[in-house]
Amino acid sequence: MSSFIFLLRRTLRIQKCFAAWIACALLAGCWDSKEIDTLSIIQGVAIDTDQQDMLELTYQHLIAQKSRKNMYSNVTTSNKDSIQSASREQAKQVSRAPLYSFIRLILISDQAIQKRRIDQLLDTFTRSYKPSRKSLVMIIKGNAKEALNKIGKHKEIPSIDLEALAKNSNLNSKIPYRITLGEISTHISQGADFLIQGIETDGGNHFSGATLVSGKTKKFAYWLDEEDVIGINWMLEKTKGSIIKVEDPKTKQHMVFEVEDVHSKLIPHLNGQDLSFTVRIKTDIKLNESTVNSVDFLKESFIQTAKEAAQDEIKQTVSQSLKTLQKEMRSDVVGFGTKVKVNYPAYWDRVKENWQDTFSQIPIDVKAKVQIERTGAYTKEEGE
């Protein structure tokens, strides 16, 4: 018992000393600290190329002040033959020392990624600046620096506004799932194709489809439209919170359902040397809007018709996206190859070098199962 009391007292003394040390450090300040009002915090970076194919870097600065109310942002642009050279040009324009550790967003123009490899464009951000691996990356149709000059709808700084917009993929299945600097580094090291959120700047910054980056060339390969993005999101289970709009085949009235839950499986089948896949999607939905007579909501026939209409809509959307992936893009960004590798490793060893060709020829059957959880209909109890 006495030994326990001794250990307890010793622990308390250590904790008090540690707390006192922290307090002294905070009061005295760190030896290498910098005053906040001498810094320029880089929030966003835009990468373009000019007419001479020189890199054009644009930085969104958050000019820090001791009072948050006095913070403001500005934009600087430099043209050089490398990211590092362009960044050093800021010393000619901005008196405050740039701080790169808090970059929220890196924007790349579609022209820049067609001319240069994405690993080369992002190399300095992963090697030298060391921003968070959670920094988002987006591709801009046209000039990337324009996006850093367009204030958000709620008057927010553009880089902060776009970072927040990226999270809305949970609400709209037309928006591809956001991708970070760390995730792109992983895809690059694996030599895998991947998608990046696409942005247009006409009429303000807004999402518009996605960009396919080739794992082989590390450059822009294809621009997907919003309908293709929806099908891919279904296969990646990224449609929760989004909506499905269908039409009653008899009345031609529309119904809008919200996706409450979604599960997707990619199931490979190997028969000798013949490979095929089943894409199985299960989802729970609820009716949010309809022009159909509400009396019909209680009828089993209506429920069945609505389920079939929603299932057909999902199957059609996914099948169209698969056609784009297999026949036009010839790119597996959903993970079919991973399923083959896990389930049939010997077969995978034979086809992995030419997986792009193999994938483009695989028969894929899409199955959708919908459960309608709520329609909002009710019956009046006696006495109401």
Side-chain angles (χ1 to χ4, degrees), residues 73 150-161:
S73 76
K150 293 184 181 292
I151 300 298
K153 297 292 184 181
H154 296 287
K155 306 301 180 183
E156 292 176 331
I157 295 172
S159 52
I160 298 176
D161 181 62

Side-chain angles (χ1 to χ4, degrees), residues 4 18 64 73 112 157 175 199 217-218 255 271 275-276 306 318 354 382:
F4 173 76
F18 184 66
S73 76
I157 295 172
I175 303 174
I199 297 288
T217 67
K218 309 294 189 297
M255 297 170 283
N271 183 12
L275 178 68
S276 62
V318 173
N354 298 302
E382 187 175 346

Side-chain angles (χ1 to χ4, degrees), residues 72-87:
Y72 63 95
S73 76
N74 67 9
V75 171
T76 60
T77 301
S78 303
N79 296 63
K80 284 291 178 180
D81 59 354
S82 72
I83 302 289
Q84 282 285 307
S85 298
S87 68

Side-chain angles (χ1 to χ4, degrees), residues 13-40:
R13 284 199 298 272
I14 292 173
Q15 288 177 341
K16 288 180 180 178
C17 291
F18 184 66
W21 179 83
I22 291 177
C24 290
L26 290 174
L27 290 172
C30 298
W31 66 271
D32 62 345
S33 65
K34 295 181 179 179
E35 293 292 333
I36 189 172
D37 57 356
T38 66
L39 296 175
S40 176

Side-chain angles (χ1 to χ4, degrees), residues 109-137:
S109 71
D110 54 354
Q111 295 97 332
I113 202 173
Q114 288 179 49
K115 296 175 181 178
R116 303 207 181 197
R117 291 163 50 117
I118 191 170
D119 53 343
Q120 295 171 351
L121 292 173
L122 297 178
D123 183 62
T124 195
F125 298 100
T126 55
R127 186 188 301 275
S128 178
Y129 293 155
K130 300 297 182 185
S132 170
R133 287 177 64 85
K134 294 183 179 180
S135 300
L136 298 183
V137 180

